[in-house]
Amino acid sequence: WGLSAQPIGMVNRRPARDYADWGTQVHEERTKLSRVNLSARVELDEATRRAAITVSAIGTDGTVDGKLQLWLTEDSITSGQRMPDGTWNAEYLHNHVFRDAVNGAWGTDFSIAEGETKDETFTYTIPGDKDWKPGQMHVVAFVYTDKGVEQVCTVPLVSAPDEE
């Protein structure tokens, strides 16, 4: 891709050469109309750490043939971080830390036509040998094709009391 300097990034699976322009590129992607609308809900059995994750989709424009991907992320993880000035911050607060892919590294096949609705349900058990905190975790669901990400939604793994 001709990228030879740090930091290196991608916006919607395309090289983002100048980090100073990342915000503009993200904004441009966010203003595009999606061909599918997604929502998700999670039911977590806290005793077994087993989550039932249901993704609901509505096709809004043409037919989308791609993949549905579910990730688990965690917020509020205190750990070391090298700072831009070269110092070490041992108490840095990390957010949106990728923990696992619920439905495999590449997701599962997904197709939806305009006007069609569908629900897909997946189960995932948070490993007991991990120090992951379900109350700080989110499910990130997205549909992608070879042209990029079509739609993303994020939901907490554990609902706040007023969200139930």
Side-chain angles (χ1 to χ4, degrees), residues 30-126:
R30 290 178 52 110
T31 61
K32 293 179 181 177
L33 294 178
S34 174
R35 298 185 304 149
V36 61
N37 285 338
L38 293 179
S39 62
R41 68 182 182 280
V42 179
E43 294 177 24
L44 177 68
D45 180 329
E46 293 189 43
T48 64
R49 295 170 60 105
R50 183 178 171 154
I53 304 161
T54 302
V55 178
S56 300
I58 302 171
T60 60
D61 183 17
T63 298
V64 174
D65 288 310
K67 300 278 189 178
L68 172 64
Q69 180 76 69
L70 300 176
W71 288 348
L72 287 181
T73 63
E74 187 174 349
D75 290 343
S76 303
I77 299 169
T78 302
S79 187
Q81 173 72 40
R82 175 87 45 214
M83 302 307 290
D85 65 1
T87 61
W88 181 255
N89 181 347
E91 297 297 315
Y92 189 84
L93 188 65
H94 297 267
N95 289 311
H96 312 291
V97 175
F98 176 81
R99 289 302 198 190
D100 205 356
V102 171
N103 59 337
W106 300 104
T108 51
D109 291 336
F110 181 84
S111 181
I112 193 165
E114 185 174 338
E116 182 181 4
T117 61
K118 66 170 51 177
D119 290 336
E120 303 262 349
T121 301
F122 302 84
T123 58
Y124 181 86
T125 301
I126 300 167

Side-chain angles (χ1 to χ4, degrees), residues 5-32:
Q6 299 269 346
I8 297 170
M10 297 184 85
V11 175
N12 203 5
R13 300 182 180 232
R14 287 186 288 285
R17 295 178 191 278
D18 183 352
Y19 73 92
D21 292 334
W22 289 358
T24 300
Q25 290 172 293
V26 168
H27 176 74
E28 288 171 1
E29 289 297 317
R30 290 178 52 110
T31 61
K32 293 179 181 177

Side-chain angles (χ1 to χ4, degrees), residues 49 74 77 99 126-134 136-137:
R49 295 170 60 105
E74 187 174 349
I77 299 169
R99 289 302 198 190
I126 300 167
D129 63 341
K130 305 287 186 188
D131 188 27
W132 300 350
K133 296 173 181 63
Q136 296 174 187
M137 297 181 84

